[in-house]
């Protein structure tokens, strides 16, 4: 067991992948000499050379397009999009090429490309630096979308994404980069697409992923002081979603609140709520509720605490669900 921050866990994971497979490449804006704006790739170019850790021009569409070409030639590119809001110039390449090439080639072509995206808010950044675009990618067939919430998952899930023969959108909760946790680098990890019960409970299920898992654990601790037992499920994967684990939890508790930082309107919580309502209709004691961002552009830094779902908004939803 090693204590490390999520940022360090990601760095060690990339280092392990580069050591294990000479076909793994890391590429993106400022990932080399600078080590990335969050220092996730710090020291990698020095140790593995400019041919494997590549500083690219400021051209996201070109970066992803180049990664697709490299994957077609047998490489395993790991692309860093510097900030979530910068991914949209590359959206065409991701949706029309990366996601569809395998089906277009009738399974004869594989594109093992990982696109790392620091996402969500909470760091006091300017416009285009605090977006939550996960639903846009989860909606696209052909892409896998995963997001860790802790250092152990960051370390293992990134390696699993790199080893996968399908394109993976790997979403990193940037405001959690400095959160520390135990990492067992010798463990045998389970599937990155399996949800995990982060805390057991009996009265209500909180389902979350990425940056909101910590908020839900804090909500569960606060509720416990009032005699309420909340179960917290870390979804970990948004495409596919492990509905079986979530269903088992809801069948036990009878209530579900889905929490994500992205806007509630057309967010991933809508799909989860619909599916669980279908699967657990006769077990539900209350409607499935959703907590998330507002249907508005992400605000300036001084207002983001009003925008972001926090402890009070989660506990308010818990109160409403338990009132039924």
């Amino acid at each position: 067991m090693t204590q490390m921050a999520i940022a360090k866990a990601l760095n060690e994971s990339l280092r392990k992948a580069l050591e294990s497979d000479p076909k793994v490449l890391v590429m993106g804006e400022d990932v080399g000499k600078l080590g990335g704006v969050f220092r996730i790739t710090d020291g990698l170019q020095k140790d593995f050379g400019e041919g494997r850790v590549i500083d690219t021009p400021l051209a996201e569409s070109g970066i992803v397009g180049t990664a697709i070409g490299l994957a077609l030639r047998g490489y395993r590119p790991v692309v860093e999009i510097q900030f979530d809001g910068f991914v949209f110039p590359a959206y065409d390449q991701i949706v029309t090429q990366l996601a569809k090439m395998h089906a277009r080639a009738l399974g004869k072509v594989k594109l093992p490309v990982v696109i790392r995206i620091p996402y969500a808010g909470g760091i006091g950044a300017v416009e285009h630096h605090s977006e939550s675009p996960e639903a846009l990618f989860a909606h696209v067939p052909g892409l896998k979308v995963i997001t860790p919430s802790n250092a152990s998952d960051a370390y293992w899930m990134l390696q699993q994404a790199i080893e996968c023969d399908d394109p993976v959108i790997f979403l990193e909760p940037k405001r959690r980069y400095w959160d520390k946790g135990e990492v067992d680098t010798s463990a045998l990890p389970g599937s990155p697409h399996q949800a995990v019960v982060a805390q057991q409970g009996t009265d209500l299920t909180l389902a979350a992923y990425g940056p909101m898992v910590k908020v839900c654990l804090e909500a569960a601790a606060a509720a416990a002081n009032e005699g309420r037992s909340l179960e917290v499920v870390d979804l970990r994967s948004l495409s596919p979603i492990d509905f079986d684990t979530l269903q088992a939890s809801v069948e036990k508790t009878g209530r579900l609140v889905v929490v994500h930082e992205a806007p509630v309107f057309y967010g991933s919580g809508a799909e989860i709520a619909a599916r669980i309502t279908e699967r657990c209709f006769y077990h539900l004691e209350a409607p499935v509720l959703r907590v998330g961002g507002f249907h508005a552009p992400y605000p300036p830094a001084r207002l983001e605490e009003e925008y972001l779902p926090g402890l009070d908004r989660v506990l308010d939803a818990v109160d409403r669900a338990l009132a039924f």
Side-chain angles (χ1 to χ4, degrees):
M1 284 286 191
T2 304
Q3 183 87 0
M4 62 179 77
I6 288 178
K8 179 64 174 176
L10 292 168
N11 179 273
E12 291 295 324
S13 184
L14 288 169
R15 180 176 295 278
K16 178 72 172 178
L18 286 162
E19 290 173 348
S20 301
D21 187 349
K23 292 293 187 179
V24 173
L25 306 174
V26 174
M27 54 193 297
E29 299 163 6
D30 297 320
V31 300
K33 293 179 180 179
L34 181 65
V37 292
F38 295 104
R39 302 301 185 266
I40 305 300
T41 55
D42 188 40
L44 297 182
Q45 189 180 78
K46 178 175 70 69
D47 294 339
F48 295 96
E50 295 182 3
R52 297 191 64 200
V53 182
I54 305 163
D55 279 316
T56 66
L58 306 184
E60 286 77 13
S61 181
I63 297 169
V64 174
T66 301
I68 292 171
L70 286 165
L72 289 170
R73 298 294 294 174
Y75 290 92
R76 291 183 176 270
V78 183
V79 170
E80 177 180 303
I81 301 296
Q82 198 169 73
F83 283 93
D84 34 49
F86 299 176
V87 74
F88 298 110
Y91 193 70
D92 180 28
Q93 291 277 16
I94 295 170
V95 172
T96 63
Q97 305 299 338
L98 186 62
K100 293 182 171 60
M101 190 74 75
H102 183 70
R104 186 184 300 147
L106 302 179
K108 296 178 181 178
V109 170
K110 297 177 180 178
L111 288 180
V113 176
V114 176
I115 300 180
R116 294 179 41 243
I117 307 175
Y119 81 117
I123 65 168
V126 297
E127 190 179 21
H128 308 308
H129 290 66
S130 302
E131 307 297 325
S132 295
E134 59 267 26
L136 298 176
F137 295 109
H139 185 69
V140 178
L143 298 176
K144 294 183 176 180
V145 183
I146 59 178
T147 177
S149 67
N150 56 71
S152 181
D153 276 354
Y155 179 82
W156 285 112
M157 290 171 68
L158 181 53
Q159 289 186 57
Q160 291 171 309
I162 295 169
E163 293 168 0
C164 180
D165 286 332
D166 297 316
V168 178
I169 306 297
F170 191 85
L171 297 166
E172 301 170 4
K174 68 171 85 72
R175 70 162 147 158
R176 305 298 182 207
Y177 272 149
W178 302 276
D179 290 1
K180 292 185 176 181
E182 296 286 341
V183 179
D184 185 352
T185 57
S186 63
L188 292 176
S191 168
H193 305 295
Q194 182 174 356
V196 172
V197 177
Q199 179 167 313
Q200 296 281 348
T202 57
D203 296 335
L204 178 145
T205 299
L206 291 173
Y209 54 86
M212 286 292 105
V213 172
K214 183 177 181 178
V215 174
C216 287
L217 289 170
E218 292 170 350
N225 293 329
E226 300 178 352
R228 294 170 170 179
S229 175
L230 306 186
E231 183 148 298
V232 179
V233 177
D234 182 353
L235 295 173
R236 302 171 77 237
S237 176
L238 297 176
S239 183
I241 294 176
D242 177 10
F243 286 109
D244 291 341
T245 296
L246 192 54
Q247 177 179 343
S249 176
V250 174
E251 287 180 352
K252 178 175 70 171
T253 66
R255 292 173 171 85
L256 173 63
V257 175
V258 187
V259 184
H260 53 66
E261 192 171 311
V264 169
F265 188 71
Y266 273 89
S268 54
E271 176 67 21
I272 294 168
R275 291 289 190 100
I276 291 301
T277 299
E278 291 175 4
R279 285 175 168 231
C280 303
F281 186 78
Y282 293 105
H283 292 85
L284 287 169
E285 301 290 342
V288 178
L289 301 181
R290 294 173 290 154
V291 177
F294 301 116
H295 191 51
Y298 197 90
R302 68 174 59 187
L303 297 175
E304 71 175 347
E305 288 304 318
E306 302 299 324
Y307 176 89
L308 292 170
L311 188 64
D312 288 343
R313 273 158 63 185
V314 173
L315 290 175
D316 177 68
V318 169
D319 288 343
R320 287 187 286 129
L322 290 172
F324 278 90

